[in-house]
Amino acid sequence: MSISLVSNAYLDEASSKIRSKPVPWEGYQRADLITSEELALIKKVDKQPKAKVEQTLFSDLQTYALLYFRLLKKLQRVDTMQCLLVLIADALSDHEERIQVFLRTAETDPDLPFLPLLRALDTQDEFVQLKASQILTILTSSSASTPLPVQYLKPFLDTLASLVQGPAPNKRDVAVQCLESLLARRDCRQAIWAVPGIIAGFLEILKHRPGPQMTYQVALCFWLLSFEQNVAEELDKKYDVIPLLIDVAQGAVKEKVIRVVVATFRNLVTKAPASNLPAMLAAKLLPFVKNLYGRKWQDEDILEDIEYLRDELNTNFQSLTTYDEYTSELSSGYLSWSPVHESDEFWKENASKLNDDDCKQLQILLRLLKESTDPLVLAVAVQDIGQYVRHTDRGKKLVEKYNGKARVMELMTHKDSEVRYRALVAVQQLVSQPWAAV
C-alpha cells in the first residue's frame, strides 16, 4: 500500500516546500522540549537526502517511528507538526511493511500512534489537518491493520464528515478518498453509515455535478456501503438516492461511472428488493436500463449487471397493477406527473383504497406533502389530495384528521406557481365537498 492511496496535488506541492523549511530543533532542545538524544536522531533525517534517510530508517525504523510520534505528541507549533507529518508520510510511502512497525508504537505508549494524529485534525492549518487524515487512513486501511478503536474512529469520521460537507475543494477531495479507502474495510462501513453528515456530504457533491473522477469516487463509496444489508434497506428511504444515482448515470461521460452506479443498483436489488424496486420503477430506471442494454461496453461485467437489473425490474413491473404502481411511487417519495395522478377513472376506482390498513397510503401521501421540499413532489401530492377528497366520501374528514388540511392551505402561498395552483384546486375540493359521517 502506498501513501498515494490518498493522493492530492495540493498535499504533494506543500509537502515538497515543507521538506526544505528549517525547524528550530536546537531551540526545542535548549528549552527542554526535546532531549539531546531526540535532537541527534531527528538531525539524521531532517533535511537529509532521501537515500540517506532511507538507509537510516532501514537500520532503525522502530526508533524513528517512536521518535516521530513522540515529537508530534509534545510539539504543537504548526511548522513543526507539518515537518513531522511529512517525515511520517515519507517513511510510509511505498512501504506497506512499515505500517505494522508504526502501529506497534502503542506497545510503548498507548496514546500512539493515533492520539497525536487525531489532535492534529483539530488544528486550523489546512495542510496539518489533511496530512494527518491521509496518514490516519493509511494506518487504518491496510490489510495488516487491526480495526481502529471506536474512541479514535468516531472523531476521525466526524472530521471527515465536516471536510466532505465543506466548501474547500482540497478538503472534499481528500475526505472522499479517505472514506473510499476506509469503506473497503467491512468493519468501518457501519461506523461510516452511522454518521449522517458523511452521506449528506456525498449527496451534495453529486447534486453539484462534479468532474468524472470525483463522481466516480463518491458513487464507489455508495457501492461499498450497499454491501451492508441494513444500508441496502434504508439508503433510499432515508436519502432518496436512487433518482440521484440515475441522474448521475444518465449524465456520465465515463463508462466507469455508469458501471459503479449499475453495480450499486444490483446490490440494492439483491439485498433489499422490497425496499428498492418500487423506488426504481417510480424513478423510471427500467427504460434507462433497457437503453443501457443496447449500448456497446468495454467491460463485459457491466452487461451482466444491466441484464440482471432489466430482468428484475421487468418481472416486478409486469406483476404490478395500476394501483400497485401508484403505491410504489408513493413509497419511493419521488412523485412525477405519471398518468394516474390526473385520471378520473383511476381515482374513481382507487381513491377509497388509500383508507385501507388504517389509512396507510393516505398517511404516506400526507407525509410527503408535509416533509418534501421538491416543488414537483408537492404539486403532484397536493393534486392527489384534491382527487382523493373529490372521489371519497370520508376524504375531507380524514385529511383533516391527519392534519393535512392546514398544509394544503399553506401551499397556496408557496413560491412555486404550479404548487400554488394545485393547492388552490385542492382547497376548493376540501371546501366544497359535503361532510360525510365517519
Side-chain angles (χ1 to χ4, degrees), residues 74-348:
K74 63 185 178 181
L75 301 177
Q76 301 299 304
R77 240 177 71 159
V78 167
D79 60 344
T80 306
M81 295 175 73
Q82 291 176 339
C83 173
L84 288 165
L85 290 167
V86 169
L87 287 170
I88 294 167
D90 287 349
L92 290 170
S93 182
D94 298 318
H95 287 285
E96 183 174 6
E97 77 281 359
R98 292 179 178 174
I99 291 174
Q100 272 301 317
V101 178
F102 278 77
L103 292 172
R104 283 202 300 270
T105 56
E107 296 170 5
T108 303
D109 180 347
D111 287 345
L112 305 184
F114 298 114
L115 194 61
L117 292 168
L118 289 170
R119 200 163 56 191
L121 297 179
D122 293 330
T123 66
Q124 297 303 305
D125 182 76
E126 182 178 44
F127 178 85
V128 169
Q129 197 176 42
L130 297 184
K131 199 69 176 175
S133 297
Q134 182 189 48
I135 294 166
L136 274 166
T137 301
I138 294 299
L139 293 177
T140 55
S141 298
S142 166
S143 58
S145 303
T146 55
L148 188 62
V150 67
Q151 71 267 29
Y152 296 142
L153 183 58
K154 181 65 167 65
F156 183 29
L157 294 181
D158 287 342
T159 297
L160 292 179
S162 174
L163 296 178
V164 85
Q165 293 179 92
N170 285 323
K171 291 183 177 181
R172 283 201 310 272
D173 178 38
V174 171
V176 168
Q177 291 186 63
C178 290
L179 288 162
E180 178 190 334
S181 300
L182 292 171
L183 282 165
R185 291 192 63 136
R186 286 204 62 184
D187 52 274
C188 290
R189 289 177 194 160
Q190 293 297 336
I192 289 171
W193 174 246
V195 183
I198 291 175
I199 312 303
F202 287 160
L203 296 173
E204 280 305 304
I205 289 172
L206 291 181
K207 287 174 183 175
H208 286 86
R209 297 182 178 276
Q213 184 59 24
M214 176 61 78
T215 301
Y216 171 74
Q217 288 174 321
V218 173
L220 186 63
C221 288
F222 279 121
W223 175 66
L224 290 165
L225 278 166
S226 70
F227 282 94
E228 300 301 304
Q229 182 67 38
N230 62 313
V231 177
E233 291 171 358
E234 299 169 15
L235 182 60
D236 189 67
K237 289 179 181 177
K238 285 187 174 181
Y239 297 102
D240 197 24
V241 73
I242 287 172
L244 179 59
L245 288 178
I246 292 173
D247 186 54
V248 165
Q250 287 175 331
V253 294
K254 295 286 187 180
E255 180 176 306
K256 66 180 183 179
V257 174
I258 299 173
R259 184 179 70 237
V260 76
V261 169
V262 168
T264 303
F265 286 152
R266 178 167 186 163
N267 275 359
L268 295 179
V269 171
T270 301
K271 291 190 169 291
S275 299
N276 295 298
L277 281 169
M280 290 174 176
L281 289 167
K284 307 295 187 288
L285 178 58
L286 181 56
F288 178 54
V289 166
K290 288 179 177 177
N291 175 275
L292 293 179
Y293 184 72
R295 297 189 195 177
K296 298 289 185 184
W297 302 101
Q298 292 180 341
D299 184 349
E300 293 181 3
D301 289 343
I302 190 175
L303 191 58
E304 183 184 335
D305 287 347
I306 290 169
E307 286 179 342
Y308 173 83
L309 281 176
R310 182 199 61 184
D311 293 346
E312 290 297 313
L313 287 165
N314 256 329
T315 300
N316 200 265
F317 180 74
Q318 289 166 8
S319 68
L320 292 178
T321 66
T322 306
Y323 182 69
D324 288 333
E325 288 184 58
Y326 178 73
T327 57
S328 294
E329 195 176 352
L330 276 187
S331 297
S332 77
Y334 190 71
L335 303 185
S336 61
W337 289 114
S338 54
V340 296
H341 298 285
E342 297 185 277
S343 165
D344 284 343
E345 276 305 310
F346 171 80
W347 286 103
K348 282 177 188 175

